[in-house]
């Protein structure tokens, strides 16, 4: 009887307070643009709210300060133990404009990535429940393509991953988008072999929603210093508004049912050798891309600002 009451109580609690936090893997080229840093701040807020759990961060930018900056941000939010995986022989080896600079100016504590990215992806997926993991890719496809090439890699993804939310591509045909262009072959492998649902936030989505400088200037005042604000101020001459590319992929991944975005019909994304992306609708296709209208843009930006600047706890 006691047991039955407990089961009933747990079911009621789950219904009232929502389900278990969704395990998230964040795969980022931290250090190339500042939107990765704001996207990571959003993930910490979503974890504090019990919506997600950040189970690993893997890097596709091949510079040690990329992981060090992620470590500094995670440590600031009280989550310095989140495992980090570094890419080996990856794209964009340059240091960039804000990772080392923010750490040194702010005196932020960090540690180095203690794993290679693909090995960490494998280990992390194996440890999670079947069909539970959301992967957010906001850099190049290097790590995920290599995971697909591992023996059993594709099966592991099919078994464990619920959704791949990625910022990549351009579905208005302006040109090859940066995240695709920097490792075209990896992105081609990803679209050809990824076994599950894939939702693309193309260049045109984040380009039309800009994170405002005034939020960076005012909304982070709850901390005397903040590593994301330090990064933002080093990345370009402050004040400036910045496109929210990577933030869109995080928001969709965390709250796919919230109506922030409109989904395209199902179909297939094709990536040519120059990095152009093209979408073709097809019944039963596992790829979709995000669309936004004016009302959605305002609502999306509001959510991004609330989440990115939410106090650490
Ligand atoms: Ca990025």
């Amino acid at each position: 009887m006691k047991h039955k009451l407990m089961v009933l109580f747990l079911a009621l609690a789950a219904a009232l307070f929502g389900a278990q936090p969704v395990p998230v893997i964040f795969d980022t080229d931290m250090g190339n643009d500042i939107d990765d840093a704001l996207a990571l701040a959003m993930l910490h807020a979503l974890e504090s709210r019990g919506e997600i759990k950040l189970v690993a961060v893997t890097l596709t930018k091949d510079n040690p300060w990329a992981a060090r900056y992620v470590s500094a941000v995670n440590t600031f939010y009280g989550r310095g133990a989140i495992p980090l995986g570094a890419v080996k022989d990856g794209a964009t080896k340059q240091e960039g404009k804000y990772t080392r600079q923010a750490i040194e100016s702010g005196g932020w504590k960090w540690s180095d990535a203690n794993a290679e990215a693909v090995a960490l992806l494998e280990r992390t997926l194996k440890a999670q429940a079947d069909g539970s993991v959301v992967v957010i890719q906001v850099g190049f496809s290097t790590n995920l393509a290599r995971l697909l090439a591992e023996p059993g890699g594709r099966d592991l993804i099919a078994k464990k991953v619920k959704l791949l939310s990625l910022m990549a591509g351009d579905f208005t045909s302006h040109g090859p988008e940066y995240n695709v262009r920097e490792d075209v072959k990896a992105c081609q492998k990803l679209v050809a072999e990824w076994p599950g649902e894939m939702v693309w936030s193309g260049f045109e989505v984040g380009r039309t929603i800009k994170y405002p400088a005034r939020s960076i200037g005012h909304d982070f005042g709850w901390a005397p210093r903040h590593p994301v604000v330090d990064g933002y101020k080093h990345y370009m001459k402050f004040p400036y508004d910045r496109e929210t590319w990577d933030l869109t992929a995080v928001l969709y991944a965390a709250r796919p049912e919230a109506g922030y975005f409109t989904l395209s019909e199902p179909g297939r994304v094709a990536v040519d050798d120059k990095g152009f992306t093209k979408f073709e609708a097809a019944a039963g296709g596992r790829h979709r891309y995000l669309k936004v209208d004016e009302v959605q843009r305002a609502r999306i930006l509001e959510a991004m600002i609330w989440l990115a600047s939410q106090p650490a706890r």
Side-chain angles (χ1 to χ4, degrees):
M1 188 61 196
K2 226 177 183 178
H3 176 74
K4 273 186 182 165
L5 272 176
M6 183 56 87
V7 169
L8 195 67
F9 172 78
L10 287 175
L12 194 67
L16 281 174
F17 303 114
Q20 288 291 306
V22 175
V24 166
I25 296 174
F26 186 52
D27 185 65
T28 163
D29 66 326
M30 187 69 72
N32 284 327
D33 202 318
I34 197 62
D35 54 336
D36 297 75
L38 283 164
L40 181 58
M42 282 176 74
L43 288 168
H44 280 290
L46 288 159
E47 177 154 344
S48 296
R49 288 164 181 248
E51 294 182 47
I52 67 139
K53 181 164 176 51
L54 194 51
V55 291
V57 179
T58 47
L59 284 304
T60 47
K61 180 172 174 62
D62 191 2
N63 181 281
W65 290 97
R68 288 169 190 168
Y69 182 77
V70 172
S71 164
V73 173
N74 291 352
T75 303
F76 170 81
Y77 281 98
R79 302 190 182 105
I82 294 170
L84 306 182
V87 68
K88 218 161 58 184
D89 301 321
T92 64
K93 294 185 192 302
Q94 72 276 19
E95 189 175 276
K97 288 184 277 189
Y98 72 86
T99 48
R100 180 181 59 77
Q101 296 85 339
I103 285 172
E104 287 178 359
S105 70
W108 301 108
K109 290 189 168 52
W110 53 267
S111 55
D112 272 317
N114 54 18
E116 186 276 321
V118 181
L120 179 62
L121 286 169
E122 256 183 319
R123 200 157 69 227
T124 306
L125 287 176
K126 280 179 184 163
Q128 298 300 324
D130 291 358
S132 70
V133 181
V134 170
V135 179
I136 305 174
Q137 183 203 289
V138 295
F140 322 124
S141 303
T142 318
N143 291 333
L144 298 185
R146 288 179 185 170
L147 178 60
L148 281 166
E150 286 289 305
R154 191 170 187 271
D155 291 342
L156 181 65
I157 293 164
K159 192 171 171 208
K160 300 290 182 174
V161 177
K162 179 163 73 175
L163 169 71
L164 170 59
S165 172
L166 70 165
M167 190 281 126
D170 182 332
F171 301 100
T172 54
S173 298
H174 278 115
E177 187 274 323
Y178 178 77
N179 286 345
V180 178
R181 203 178 62 214
E182 285 296 323
D183 195 344
V184 174
K185 285 202 154 48
C187 196
Q188 287 174 325
K189 187 172 175 68
L190 192 78
V191 294
E193 297 179 26
W194 189 262
E197 299 285 324
M198 194 190 269
V199 174
W200 298 65
S201 180
F203 181 79
E204 67 279 2
V205 178
R207 186 181 66 80
T208 57
I209 308 166
K210 292 199 176 179
Y211 199 93
R214 67 177 153 73
S215 172
I216 302 293
H218 296 287
D219 299 342
F220 294 76
W222 47 268
R225 291 199 73 149
H226 193 298
V228 172
V229 173
D230 285 347
Y232 202 94
K233 289 185 172 174
H234 277 98
Y235 180 60
M236 291 203 295
K237 188 174 161 39
F238 192 75
Y240 63 95
D241 298 347
R242 191 63 181 158
E243 287 82 349
T244 57
W245 296 294
D246 295 355
L247 292 74
T248 63
V250 167
L251 188 62
Y252 177 76
R255 298 176 177 171
E257 314 293 338
Y260 288 114
F261 305 88
T262 302
L263 277 180
S264 75
E265 63 273 67
R268 283 204 61 81
V269 172
V271 179
D272 77 9
D273 291 343
K274 286 186 176 144
F276 281 90
T277 44
K278 212 174 116 194
F279 178 83
E280 270 180 33
R286 288 195 292 257
H287 305 170
R288 293 171 190 260
Y289 65 94
L290 299 178
K291 301 189 273 191
V292 281
D293 63 27
E294 274 314 304
V295 174
Q296 287 170 318
R297 283 190 185 99
R299 190 170 168 246
I300 289 165
L301 184 60
E302 193 78 33
M304 286 171 171
I305 292 171
W306 278 113
L307 290 170
S309 66
Q310 178 179 299
R313 68 171 174 88

